[in-house]
Amino acid sequence: MSISNSTIAASGAPATARRSAKAMSRRRRKLQNALIAYSFIAPNFLGFAVFTLGPIVFAFALAFMHWDGSNAITFAGLDNFWRLFEDKAFIAAFWNTIIYTAVSVPATLACALGLAVLLNQKIFGRDFFRTAMFFPYVASLVAVAVVWNMIFNPEMGPVNMILYTLGLDPKDMPGWAADRHWAMVTVILFGVWKSMGYYMVIYLAGLQGINSELYEAADLDGANSWQKFLYVTVPQLAPTTFFVTVMLTIQSFKVFDQIYMITQGGPGTSTLVLVYHIYNEAFISWDLGYSSMIALVLFFLVLAVTVVQFRRQKED
Amino acid sequence: MQIAKRSARSRQIRVKTIAIYLTVIVITAVMLMPFAWMLSASLKLSRDVFVFPIEWIPSEPRWQNYIDIWSKIPLALFIYNTSKLTVMVTSLQLLTSSFAAYAFAKLDFPYKNTLFLGYIATIAMPWQVYMVPQFLLMREFGLNNTHLALICLQAFTAFGVFLMRQFYMSIPTELCEAARIDGMNEYQIWAKIMLPLSKPALSTLTIFTFVTTWNDFLGPMIYLTKTELKTIQIGLRMFISQYSAEYGLIMAASVVALIPVLIVFLSLQRFFVEGVASSGLKG
């Protein structure tokens, strides 16, 4: 637009010259405004481009390379991809990630919803209870994981001691983190305990958005509390539930810290997950190309969930 | 007859109320039990930690644990390192995010939507996907085993820009226009109008960033191998593996590591809860 204006101006009538002077100052103004806007974005964008965008591009390229971090990089083609199918640890990590997600997401969701409904009622000390539920989420993971390990210590921990006083035979007691069959349960219990307060707050916000007339109408129809929960609360919270499910799913695909602190992926490969395998392949084996290929698998898992969310949002 | 019915009804309500309180109290107790146990164990001798039934309040609290930890590990140094990182990351993030967010919310410029889409797209991208290339890049810059590496990787987030922009969008544009007519330039509008108005959003971002940076584990673990650079989280982890049987001391150090987060969380929690709640409403 502005370019055509200036070519007309070059042809020379006095009226258009005045107009072109105006157009030029407008153009200059526009450029100046753009420069000001870019100057606002630049400090964040430069850091973001160098330390986030760059590495993201690099990550995709690296998945098709062989590199140990010190010798020359060589092109690997699909080598790293085919290797995934023969790597027993990767297959275990993949399925463990899926299992972790499939169990911890519904469990956290149910606990968060239950807590939110309970703490949405007008009870004395409500704020205190809400804060208490939320605190595990902000507490440092290393500190709470070490207590968790002690509480669930198979020989001396209070949990098994309580089971013992309840009359359970020491032979039948769960070995928790040290037990192949219980390690995943331990890690999941820890995860649910740590994060449910966060999702409870999201649900509390969702509950506040429900029109109270719906409950009054249900009252007139003679619905009891359970029916009101089932036929008013749950359907009204559907968008919140969907959002929470997506967030939780992405979070659990990325699980690492609690596994590192509690089971170190073991016993055997019973709690090995994708991020743990990425970490091992990169920083223990220095197989950087292969670790990036595993990261790509993680990326596509997260992408799939995000695309589903995006589609769903569009439908609404 | 009617009175009897009414009292039966009120009795029913009372039973329900008691049931609710009982449930809430039991759940809260279970949720807080690990912290209570941590606190209690931090005041015991290691050999008394696992004594059952649990002695919640030690008869002879061993405050010495809280003195000993400072000499067993460089705890003060770890706390200093973590504080330094947290303060720098948080202030840089507040500054650069609110600065960029102003342009995205209130200014017009070419490629605005494309750029913003780029920001949004990376929010969903897990850091774990590109942590390895990022490490290699930092190593190339000679930044591994420096605090600068961790500052660089956490100070410029898409999340901060997004959060601040959402808030600025809710501030009426007329306010900026009026200021422009009064002769303020854009930088003055940002500093004198937007920043003071956005205290709730800044508080939310502060607590999110503070908690994440203070508690960060994988980042410092990858980048910081020298003891004198370590943060409280990996320092604590190192202490646990070195003195695995010193339960009382480990618990005391854990309590110390939790205190700063507890203070920040309790003083800003209203904003945090609002931030979490509003993030859920977008779904």
Side-chain angles (χ1 to χ4, degrees):
Chain A
M1 243 328 230
S2 53
I3 290 173
S4 66
N5 272 349
S6 66
T7 37
I8 293 166
S11 68
T16 45
R18 211 178 308 133
R19 214 180 302 147
S20 85
K22 231 184 203 169
M24 235 164 78
S25 82
R26 205 187 313 137
R27 207 170 40 162
R28 213 211 235 135
R29 242 226 129 80
K30 223 173 170 185
L31 184 73
Q32 206 181 4
N33 283 345
L35 283 179
I36 291 173
Y38 286 132
S39 78
F40 272 100
I41 295 171
N44 185 280
F45 185 74
L46 290 179
F48 175 71
V50 174
F51 301 112
T52 303
L53 290 181
I56 288 174
V57 175
F58 191 10
F60 284 88
L62 202 55
F64 303 94
M65 304 288 162
H66 285 307
W67 200 26
D68 62 2
S70 46
N71 296 309
I73 304 187
T74 54
F75 183 66
L78 290 173
D79 282 8
N80 291 325
F81 181 71
W82 299 125
R83 215 181 121 186
L84 292 174
F85 300 92
E86 289 152 20
D87 178 2
K88 286 204 178 95
F90 166 77
I91 292 166
F94 182 85
W95 287 114
N96 285 337
T97 307
I98 301 288
I99 291 168
Y100 179 86
T101 305
V103 179
S104 76
V105 172
T108 313
L109 202 87
C111 291
L113 177 59
L115 276 180
V117 170
L118 207 58
L119 290 180
N120 194 40
Q121 303 181 68
K122 291 187 183 68
I123 57 171
F124 179 75
R126 187 170 73 168
D127 288 345
F128 166 77
F129 291 122
R130 286 179 180 179
T131 310
M133 307 290 179
F134 196 82
F135 188 59
Y137 179 77
V138 289
S140 100
L141 190 127
V142 180
V144 291
V146 65
V147 195
W148 197 265
N149 265 339
M150 290 163 77
I151 291 178
F152 283 84
N153 183 306
E155 276 112 44
M156 308 179 283
V159 171
N160 273 8
M161 283 299 186
I162 290 167
L163 293 178
Y164 180 74
T165 48
L166 291 177
L168 200 73
D169 196 304
K171 281 202 308 286
D172 305 327
M173 271 187 217
W176 303 110
D179 185 332
R180 178 177 288 276
H181 306 290
W182 286 89
M184 189 54 102
V185 177
T186 313
V187 175
I188 289 173
L189 277 176
F190 179 75
V192 173
W193 171 80
K194 192 147 186 347
S195 64
M196 67 187 192
Y198 183 87
Y199 297 98
M200 172 197 77
V201 173
I202 297 182
Y203 266 127
L204 278 171
L207 284 173
Q208 248 114 72
I210 300 180
N211 192 336
S212 58
E213 280 168 22
L214 290 171
Y215 288 108
E216 283 154 24
D219 274 334
L220 285 180
D221 290 343
N224 62 31
S225 317
W226 176 245
Q227 284 167 327
K228 276 189 275 185
F229 174 74
L230 219 55
Y231 298 113
V232 181
T233 313
V234 172
Q236 286 292 310
L237 283 177
T240 312
T241 301
F242 184 73
F243 174 79
V244 169
T245 309
V246 171
M247 295 245 299
L248 267 171
T249 308
I250 293 176
Q251 283 308 317
S252 41
F253 283 158
K254 300 190 290 193
V255 63
F256 174 82
D257 298 8
Q258 68 208 52
I259 302 231
Y260 187 89
M261 283 304 299
I262 294 177
T263 61
Q264 304 252 313
T269 53
S270 58
T271 54
L272 189 74
V273 287
L274 286 176
V275 176
Y276 208 99
H277 201 39
I278 296 173
Y279 173 83
N280 276 340
E281 289 299 326
F283 299 112
I284 309 294
S285 317
W286 289 96
D287 201 336
L288 302 171
Y290 184 56
S291 87
S292 290
M293 184 51 85
I294 305 165
L296 227 54
V297 174
L298 175 68
F299 167 73
F300 280 110
L301 279 179
V302 172
L303 184 72
V305 175
T306 315
V307 166
V308 169
Q309 181 199 27
F310 195 68
R311 283 240 176 103
R312 174 62 212 239
Q313 255 178 355
K314 257 191 173 166
E315 277 169 30
D316 296 343
Chain B
M1 183 66 185
Q2 225 173 3
I3 293 167
K5 209 189 248 172
R6 204 180 298 155
S7 78
R9 179 98 190 251
S10 76
R11 199 177 305 136
Q12 209 179 4
I13 290 172
R14 211 178 308 141
V15 168
K16 201 180 154 190
T17 314
I18 292 170
I20 289 172
Y21 273 104
L22 220 59
T23 321
V24 170
I25 290 168
V26 168
I27 296 173
T28 311
V30 171
M31 290 295 281
L32 291 185
M33 202 191 66
F35 298 107
W37 206 69
M38 178 193 274
L39 208 58
S40 156
S42 74
L43 294 171
K44 288 177 185 169
L45 274 171
S46 293
R47 62 177 148 83
D48 296 333
V49 165
F50 287 110
V51 169
F52 196 83
I54 303 163
E55 194 191 1
W56 288 102
I57 299 166
S59 49
E60 286 169 63
R62 205 182 128 77
W63 298 103
Q64 190 64 29
N65 285 346
Y66 281 91
I67 298 165
D68 290 349
I69 42 168
W70 301 89
S71 52
K72 287 266 179 172
I73 41 165
L75 195 62
L77 182 67
F78 293 156
I79 290 176
Y80 169 77
N81 288 340
T82 322
S83 315
K84 177 184 145 193
L85 280 173
T86 307
V87 168
M88 294 188 80
V89 167
T90 308
S91 40
L92 268 171
Q93 215 185 99
L94 288 178
L95 191 75
T96 66
S97 301
S98 65
F99 211 50
Y102 176 64
F104 279 122
K106 298 290 177 212
L107 300 177
D108 235 351
F109 56 92
Y111 306 112
K112 178 169 152 175
N113 293 332
T114 320
L115 268 176
F116 192 65
L117 202 70
Y119 269 96
I120 303 250
T122 56
I123 292 181
M125 169 72 87
W127 173 69
Q128 289 84 348
V129 170
Y130 58 91
M131 66 177 180
V132 175
Q134 199 178 42
F135 175 81
L136 298 169
L137 181 85
M138 296 284 190
R139 197 184 61 173
E140 205 57 38
F141 291 162
L143 292 180
N144 56 343
N145 264 316
T146 63
H147 286 153
L148 190 58
L150 288 165
I151 294 170
C152 289
L153 78 90
Q154 293 183 83
F156 313 99
T157 63
F159 172 75
V161 176
F162 181 72
L163 187 106
M164 293 307 298
R165 176 196 174 260
Q166 292 307 91
F167 189 83
Y168 286 162
M169 295 295 272
S170 70
I171 297 177
T173 311
E174 288 80 16
L175 218 58
C176 304
E177 277 158 12
R180 264 172 223 143
I181 292 166
D182 287 348
M184 275 197 193
N185 65 35
E186 301 298 329
Y187 305 102
Q188 286 168 325
I189 296 174
W190 171 77
K192 291 189 179 150
I193 294 175
M194 292 310 233
L195 271 191
L197 281 177
S198 60
K199 269 184 202 138
L202 290 172
S203 305
T204 304
L205 187 58
T206 303
I207 191 164
F208 266 112
T209 315
F210 183 94
V211 169
T212 321
T213 320
W214 188 275
N215 289 340
D216 189 20
F217 179 65
L218 189 50
M221 186 164 83
I222 293 171
Y223 283 95
L224 310 173
T225 52
K226 288 188 186 144
T227 306
E228 68 267 25
L229 291 175
K230 283 185 176 167
T231 61
I232 182 84
Q233 307 308 339
I234 42 172
L236 194 58
R237 157 84 208 160
M238 184 185 79
F239 183 55
I240 294 163
S241 44
Q242 275 173 7
Y243 298 89
S244 54
E246 302 264 19
Y247 303 111
L249 289 176
I250 289 174
M251 289 296 100
S254 304
V255 172
V256 171
L258 280 182
I259 289 172
V261 172
L262 183 68
I263 293 171
V264 171
F265 170 62
L266 289 181
S267 52
L268 288 175
Q269 66 145 318
R270 191 164 57 91
F271 297 113
F272 198 26
V273 169
E274 273 167 22
V276 172
S278 64
S279 76
L281 292 175
K282 307 247 154 48

